[in-house]
Amino acid sequence: MKKDTKRSSTIQKMWHDKRGKAILKLSMWFVFFLLMSIAILLTNTFSNSTIPPKVNEPVNNEQKKYLNLKEIWNLLSSSNYHYQYQIHHKITNESTVFQGEKNNDIDTGYRESKIGIIKYRLENGHIYQIFVDNEEEIPKIFESDDENYLNLEKLYLKLETLIPNETISGTMRKLIFQNGEEIIEVTTTINQIKQIRINTSQKEYNLSFTIENNTERKD
């Protein structure tokens, strides 16, 4: 009690002294600003903890740039391109490879299988086997069960009836079509078919394409 009285007496003396009064006012302002700073800090802390931060979700417009199946197929069909078709027979473990190019609607290439290598040309609906000094028209170049996968017109008609599962990574897209045990995976860039992989109960097909003088669309 005596200490409180003594402290009160000291403050009163300082208040009546000009210099002491200035010190007391300065101390009061210091305490005021200190309390205000603490209040502002607490207000900001509670505001940040109760209001969730705004998250800027990335906008992916990449998918809008891709050509649809019909457009991208028509582009391939109307272009000159190099191709390679690989067929793996699951039962016999044998392989057949077609390698060639389509130029101005004329398809020229080589077929390599267990029976050897033949050179062929497809033109105006006709198939020719090319020899050293002559050529001969032949009824077919693909086996009957391969025709629906290696003939691009027939393959498109098959895919057009199916709904794909689409996945996009950067500028590459995969369209996966499933028809029972048959799975067809089409890999594309924004406007070009790069690869078609087909898995059936008996065979696996791997078709790859390189379009000549193709410029990827940038928009």
Side-chain angles (χ1 to χ4, degrees), residues 144-162:
S144 299
D145 56 342
D146 298 332
E147 179 75 19
N148 290 331
Y149 304 112
L150 302 184
N151 183 308
L152 297 184
E153 291 183 11
K154 292 185 177 182
L155 179 57
Y156 172 73
L157 292 176
K158 177 189 288 287
L159 296 181
E160 196 177 29
T161 64
L162 304 174

Side-chain angles (χ1 to χ4, degrees), residues 161-206:
T161 64
L162 304 174
I163 299 176
N165 178 25
E166 181 181 67
T167 60
I168 294 176
S169 177
T171 57
M172 298 300 292
R173 169 182 61 174
K174 284 188 178 181
L175 300 171
I176 302 176
F177 303 80
Q178 186 161 3
N179 182 26
E181 295 182 352
E182 180 184 79
I183 299 175
I184 303 173
E185 181 182 292
V186 181
T187 301
T188 81
T189 60
I190 292 175
N191 62 345
Q192 180 183 153
I193 295 176
K194 300 298 290 184
Q195 186 179 50
I196 302 174
R197 298 177 65 90
I198 303 162
N199 193 351
T200 71
S201 59
Q202 295 184 339
K203 296 181 180 180
E204 292 178 348
Y205 301 82
N206 188 350

Side-chain angles (χ1 to χ4, degrees), residues 48-65:
N48 292 335
S49 62
T50 55
I51 300 176
K54 184 178 180 181
V55 178
N56 294 323
E57 296 182 358
V59 178
N60 183 11
N61 293 323
E62 197 67 50
Q63 188 170 353
K64 297 180 182 179
K65 298 180 181 180

Side-chain angles (χ1 to χ4, degrees), residues 52-207:
K54 184 178 180 181
V55 178
N56 294 323
E57 296 182 358
V59 178
N60 183 11
N61 293 323
E62 197 67 50
Q63 188 170 353
K64 297 180 182 179
K65 298 180 181 180
Y66 282 84
L67 297 180
N68 61 38
L69 183 65
K70 183 177 182 179
E71 291 170 329
I72 207 166
W73 212 276
N74 286 342
L75 179 62
L76 178 65
S77 299
S78 61
S79 300
N80 296 331
Y81 58 82
H82 297 271
Y83 65 85
Q84 180 170 291
Y85 304 157
Q86 297 177 327
I87 307 171
H88 175 70
H89 303 252
K90 294 180 179 179
I91 298 175
T92 63
N93 203 33
E94 296 173 352
S95 295
T96 302
V97 177
F98 294 85
Q99 188 167 342
E101 64 177 1
K102 196 199 80 167
N103 193 340
N104 296 326
D105 293 326
I106 299 175
D107 185 339
T108 305
Y110 295 86
R111 184 186 73 184
E112 181 178 358
S113 66
K114 65 178 182 179
I115 62 175
I117 300 175
I118 69 169
K119 184 177 181 180
Y120 61 85
R121 185 178 79 255
L122 283 67
E123 183 177 1
N124 296 326
H126 298 275
I127 305 171
Y128 302 92
Q129 182 174 352
I130 302 173
F131 300 96
V132 176
D133 53 358
N134 70 318
E135 57 185 44
E136 178 182 325
E137 187 170 359
I138 56 178
K140 64 180 182 178
I141 190 66
F142 305 136
E143 296 296 330
S144 299
D145 56 342
D146 298 332
E147 179 75 19
N148 290 331
Y149 304 112
L150 302 184
N151 183 308
L152 297 184
E153 291 183 11
K154 292 185 177 182
L155 179 57
Y156 172 73
L157 292 176
K158 177 189 288 287
L159 296 181
E160 196 177 29
T161 64
L162 304 174
I163 299 176
N165 178 25
E166 181 181 67
T167 60
I168 294 176
S169 177
T171 57
M172 298 300 292
R173 169 182 61 174
K174 284 188 178 181
L175 300 171
I176 302 176
F177 303 80
Q178 186 161 3
N179 182 26
E181 295 182 352
E182 180 184 79
I183 299 175
I184 303 173
E185 181 182 292
V186 181
T187 301
T188 81
T189 60
I190 292 175
N191 62 345
Q192 180 183 153
I193 295 176
K194 300 298 290 184
Q195 186 179 50
I196 302 174
R197 298 177 65 90
I198 303 162
N199 193 351
T200 71
S201 59
Q202 295 184 339
K203 296 181 180 180
E204 292 178 348
Y205 301 82
N206 188 350
L207 288 61

